[in-house]
Amino acid sequence: MKPKVVCVVGPTAVGKSELGIRIAQCFNGEVISGDSMQIYKGMDIGTAKVSKDEMQGIPHHLIDIKEPSESYSAAEFQEAVHRLIEDLENRGKLPVIVGGTGLYIQAALFDFQFSNQKRDDKIIDRLEKEAEDQGIQALYERLAEIDPEQADKIHPNNKRRVFRALEVYESTGKTLSDFHKEQTSGSPFQPIMLGLEMERKLLYERINSRVDLMIEKGLEDEVRSLYHQGLKDSQSMKAIGYKEFIPYFEGEYDFSRSVELLKRNSRRYAKRQFTYFKNKMDINWYDIDPVEKNAGIEKILTDLAGMLEET
């Protein structure tokens, strides 16, 4: 029998963490974080990382496993999740993946196939020199010609991802999109997908309020500390909640503009998350009303009990 895995997905601020903990409590489970930024130590406020008190004694995995100077990928996440699911299954625990990073979750649950091509330092060094001479835009335009589908997913200024996509193509003759399309349609698990959604206006109000609370908790100091560690160009600082403050620190605009952009970018990200999950995976969706939240959670838990018995 394939291992059963429950997965709680949806946009930011919709209430995934609380539901994941309740599921783990009710069904003898442990939580695996499906967030690409909560892996970083010292990035607590901006990633809305669940606190020890909020965990209520439920073990959480793949949180605080990397230094903010380190990189991380969906392929690494996939490998880590597969190891964790095997361990939890052996201990009689239900794996509960909770998060909003769609590609990571899809990769882990549906055996997404990645290029195993090791990095070629010679190619990277050459691409670095070309970027210095011609500008990153020129390399991005080259990628757009070679692999327009992948280029559409990458910001033109994200050198690391532009370089990697070009490097894979030059090393293998295949694009990253080619590798992604080779993924298998099945899953090595029995995934039970639960999606949380909320009326758009209410969700956006929650996002704005969450940002205000992050500011009160000291988000500016958290980001400033990372900035002064020389991490401005690291993968971790590209995250929403962090990148918006760098121009403020460098005098390009004021603090209020940083907060305004953080709220806007968070709302836009929530929309992208929802679109990704709707288009990529077969999910049981539940509309959450903040006023009737507890009743909504109880309904999900009842439904889940039936789903676990059926599979």
Side-chain angles (χ1 to χ4, degrees), residues 60-84:
H60 281 59
H61 304 275
L62 301 188
I63 292 177
D64 292 338
I65 62 169
K66 289 281 186 178
E67 297 296 335
S69 58
E70 296 180 279
S71 62
Y72 197 64
S73 70
E76 290 176 88
F77 177 79
Q78 179 191 63
E79 183 180 350
V81 169
H82 286 195
R83 286 198 308 268
L84 281 167

Side-chain angles (χ1 to χ4, degrees), residues 116-129:
N116 292 321
Q117 182 70 22
K118 293 185 177 180
R119 296 194 179 278
D120 189 318
D121 291 337
K122 290 182 180 179
I123 294 177
I124 292 294
D125 290 344
R126 176 171 54 75
L127 292 172
E128 285 276 10
K129 188 174 187 309

Side-chain angles (χ1 to χ4, degrees), residues 84-148:
L84 281 167
I85 290 174
E86 182 180 5
D87 173 60
L88 293 173
E89 180 77 3
N90 289 338
R91 293 193 283 114
K93 297 287 186 176
L94 176 68
V96 184
I97 300 176
V98 179
T101 306
L103 174 62
Y104 278 35
I105 290 170
Q106 184 185 23
L109 290 180
F110 297 96
D111 212 17
F112 205 103
Q113 301 299 302
F114 292 93
S115 163
N116 292 321
Q117 182 70 22
K118 293 185 177 180
R119 296 194 179 278
D120 189 318
D121 291 337
K122 290 182 180 179
I123 294 177
I124 292 294
D125 290 344
R126 176 171 54 75
L127 292 172
E128 285 276 10
K129 188 174 187 309
E130 289 179 15
E132 290 177 9
D133 295 341
Q134 306 170 29
I136 186 61
Q137 184 64 32
L139 273 69
Y140 179 79
E141 290 172 3
R142 187 191 309 169
L143 175 62
E145 292 180 7
I146 294 168
D147 188 358

